[in-house]
Amino acid sequence: MSMVAVGVMFGLFAALALLLIVVLLRRGNSVTENADGLRIEQARRVQAHQDRTSYDAMTVLGSSPAMSDLHHRRR
């Protein structure tokens, strides 16, 4: 590869990174305003909390893997 090709490649990488940064900054961290979105966010927070307590180091090391799995009960 010539130096021009390497420069073009790194230029494209830089342009892509800049585009991703701009897109992420434009999105912002807005909160959900409708009721369905709030219910979904609450369910995800509860799910994340259950996963953290179900798979922490003390639970996993102190029991067999099947006993701490909550995903079997979520169906």
Side-chain angles (χ1 to χ4, degrees):
M1 274 199 326
S2 68
M3 292 300 289
V4 173
V6 171
V8 169
M9 182 180 68
F10 283 121
L12 288 174
F13 286 150
L16 180 64
L18 184 63
L19 176 68
L20 291 174
I21 289 170
V22 168
V23 168
L24 290 175
L25 288 177
R26 285 184 60 204
R27 291 171 99 187
N29 290 330
S30 61
V31 295
T32 304
E33 295 183 11
N34 60 12
D36 292 333
L38 292 173
R39 284 191 207 112
I40 291 169
E41 286 180 8
Q42 177 64 25
R44 295 297 181 248
R45 278 194 297 271
V46 168
Q47 183 64 49
H49 175 71
Q50 289 174 347
D51 289 345
R52 281 192 301 271
T53 56
S54 176
Y55 298 110
D56 69 342
M58 294 302 291
T59 304
V60 171
L61 294 175
S63 65
S64 66
M67 291 184 67
S68 66
D69 289 344
L70 285 176
H71 63 70
H72 295 294
R73 289 184 243 157
R74 287 188 214 134
R75 294 181 190 176

